[in-house]
């Protein structure tokens, strides 16, 4: 099973916004997702936002990325602007959140 | 009468939740809310009401078999919708899940037709009776396993501060609802299979089923219609995290 659109989207932007290579960017993102028990193949936009805000800054800092908070804020804005187009990739959390709250 | 209280409560909550989910579906047009609503309606209040209408108002008339057939049909559709909900929510990308849903759905429809054409009576249970209940137990069993598995992961994410405690609790409640359904069908199966010709289910069986119905009603209510008090309680008891 391929990585989710949310994963590919964010990994690509980490590479563009930082000095990390494609492999390092994907590795950092994979570790951040793993720390939050998310699967790169099924992670959706909402879950990705949480990881970007709470876990990714630490992973980027470990890799020597300058101003990881700014990078993550930029990533969060990009994800918020785009994740409606990934609506076919809805996690169980996303669906249950809608069923409960809307 | 008391013995039917729990089942009645479950049907009433099932109806309320279905109406809410259908209202949501009118706005979102998303499959999970429609599938959950159809599943709850078909398995619970609608299928049961159609069958009971035939039994109470048209008993021993030529019309009754049609009500029975309609009731069985609606229930089968409810189970198929329930399978579809579990698949689309918890395993949307897994091919084995798609195959499982297709296989179980076809088997449910086939046995449903068998039940309509050749109804079973206690003491002379036909193959389709056994198949029907085993398939329903499998459907509910899978519908129990998936949300509970997801709840187990989600509660760890809640502790890490990356998941919503109320959503996590809803997985648990939905798992309990489906688990109650699984247990209810196992008990019904065992009780009917042990009856002799012309036998009736004993009162203790109805009482146990009523208790299970009450548990299912409460957990279903908390799954999809969580009241404010419950929401605050769940959020207040969520493990503290760094974020």
């Amino acid at each position: 099973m391929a990585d989710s659109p949310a994963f590919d989207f964010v990994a690509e932007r980490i590479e563009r916004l930082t000095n990390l290579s494609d492999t390092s960017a994907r590795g950092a993102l994979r570790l951040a997702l793993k720390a939050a028990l998310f699967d790169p193949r099924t992670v959706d936009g909402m879950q990705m936002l949480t990881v970007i805000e709470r876990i990714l800054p630490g992973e980027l800092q470990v890799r020597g990325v300058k101003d990881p908070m700014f990078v993550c804020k930029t990533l969060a804005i990009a994800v918020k602007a785009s994740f409606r187009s990934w609506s076919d990739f809805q996690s169980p959390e996303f669906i249950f959140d809608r069923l409960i709250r809307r | 009468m008391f013995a039917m209280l729990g089942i009645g409560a479950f049907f009433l909550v099932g109806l309320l939740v279905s109406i809410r989910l259908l209202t949501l579906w009118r706005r979102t047009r998303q499959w999970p809310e429609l599938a959950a609503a159809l599943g709850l309606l078909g398995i619970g209040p609608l299928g049961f009401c159609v069958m009971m209408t035939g039994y109470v108002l048209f008993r021993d008339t030529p019309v009754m078999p049609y009500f029975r057939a309609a009731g069985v049909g609606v229930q089968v559709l409810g189970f198929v919708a329930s399978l579809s909900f579990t698949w689309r929510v918890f395993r949307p990308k897994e091919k084995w899940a798609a195959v499982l849903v297709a296989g179980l759905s076809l088997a449910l429809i086939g046995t449903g037709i068998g039940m309509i054409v050749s109804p079973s009576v206690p003491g002379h249970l036909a193959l389709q009776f056994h198949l029907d209940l085993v398939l329903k137990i499998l459907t509910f069993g899978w519908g129990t396993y998936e949300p509970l598995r997801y709840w187990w992961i989600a509660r760890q994410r809640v502790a890490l501060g990356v998941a919503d405690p109320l959503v996590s609790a809803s997985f648990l409640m939905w798992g309990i609802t489906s688990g109650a359904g699984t247990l209810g069908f196992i008990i019904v199966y065992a009780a009917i299979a042990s009856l002799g010709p012309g036998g009736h289910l004993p009162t203790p069986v109805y009482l146990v089923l009523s208790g299970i119905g009450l548990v299912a009603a409460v957990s279903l209510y908390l799954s999809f219609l969580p009241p404010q008090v419950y929401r605050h309680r769940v959020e207040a008891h969520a493990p503290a995290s760094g974020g």
Side-chain angles (χ1 to χ4, degrees):
Chain A
M1 202 155 57
D3 291 327
S4 76
F7 181 87
D8 289 335
F9 180 90
V10 174
E12 197 181 295
R13 271 153 188 80
I14 292 174
E15 191 193 347
R16 261 194 250 161
L17 290 166
T18 67
N19 53 349
L20 297 179
S21 66
D22 175 54
T23 314
S24 301
R26 285 180 171 269
L29 188 54
R30 269 184 214 286
L31 284 176
L33 289 172
K34 193 179 174 188
L37 307 171
F38 291 121
D39 185 339
R41 296 168 302 176
T42 56
V43 66
D44 70 12
M46 215 167 78
Q47 293 171 331
M48 188 58 91
L49 268 180
T50 314
V51 171
I52 288 170
E53 284 163 3
R54 302 198 175 198
I55 297 173
L56 193 60
E59 285 295 334
L60 294 182
Q61 193 159 25
V62 168
R63 281 163 182 76
V65 170
K66 285 177 191 167
D67 203 353
M69 290 309 291
F70 172 76
V71 171
C72 288
K73 273 183 188 168
T74 310
L75 287 171
I77 291 166
V79 169
K80 278 177 193 164
S82 306
F83 83 71
R84 287 196 187 283
S85 62
W86 312 325
S87 59
D88 54 329
F89 286 90
Q90 294 178 349
S91 66
E93 280 116 320
F94 185 87
I95 296 169
F96 264 68
D97 187 76
R98 187 176 70 232
L99 299 184
I100 297 165
R101 291 185 207 277
R102 281 177 67 173
Chain B
M1 192 64 194
F2 175 76
M4 295 308 287
L5 192 70
I7 309 288
F10 174 68
F11 285 171
L12 183 65
V13 174
L15 188 63
L16 287 175
V17 171
S18 303
I19 292 168
R20 190 196 165 282
L21 291 174
L22 284 173
T23 311
L24 178 64
W25 174 76
R26 280 189 64 191
R27 283 189 280 131
T28 64
R29 299 285 164 180
Q30 296 285 311
W31 180 248
E33 30 272 61
L34 181 61
L38 293 179
L40 283 169
L41 269 180
I43 295 168
L46 194 59
F48 185 78
C49 281
V50 172
M51 262 195 257
M52 285 310 286
T53 303
Y55 188 74
V56 173
L57 298 179
F58 301 100
R59 195 174 182 177
D60 298 328
T61 69
V63 185
M64 190 188 151
Y66 294 104
F67 275 92
R68 194 178 168 283
V72 170
V74 169
Q75 270 203 340
V76 166
L77 287 178
F79 275 94
V80 171
S82 173
L83 277 171
S84 157
F85 176 79
T86 307
W87 171 42
R88 297 305 299 169
V89 173
F90 296 102
R91 301 280 185 178
K93 290 172 134 187
E94 316 277 359
K95 278 186 185 148
W96 66 261
V99 172
L100 179 73
V101 170
L104 283 176
S105 299
L106 286 174
L108 277 163
I109 292 166
T111 50
I113 293 169
M115 298 279 284
I116 292 167
V117 173
S118 171
S120 289
V121 288
H124 301 94
L125 299 174
L127 174 66
Q128 59 266 30
F129 166 82
H130 297 284
L131 274 176
D132 180 64
L133 279 171
V134 168
L135 289 168
K136 285 173 178 171
I137 289 166
L138 284 175
T139 301
F140 268 133
W142 189 40
T144 305
Y145 169 75
E146 293 295 349
L148 289 183
R149 181 184 70 89
Y150 219 86
W151 165 71
W152 188 255
I153 300 167
R155 66 193 284 271
Q156 295 172 69
R157 287 180 186 154
V158 170
L160 291 166
V162 293
D164 186 318
L166 186 63
V167 173
S168 168
S170 287
F171 288 131
L172 174 63
M173 288 300 131
W174 180 242
I176 291 173
T177 306
S178 302
T182 313
L183 186 61
F185 271 101
I186 290 171
I187 290 170
V188 166
Y189 185 24
I192 295 178
S194 64
L195 288 177
H200 295 282
L201 290 179
T203 305
V205 171
Y206 283 110
L207 286 172
V208 170
L209 289 175
S210 181
I212 290 170
L214 270 180
V215 169
V218 171
S219 55
L220 178 61
Y221 186 73
L222 295 177
S223 299
F224 293 118
L225 295 169
Q228 280 301 327
V229 177
Y230 172 75
R231 285 171 189 241
H232 291 318
R233 203 177 158 78
V234 166
E235 274 151 18
H237 284 79
S241 69

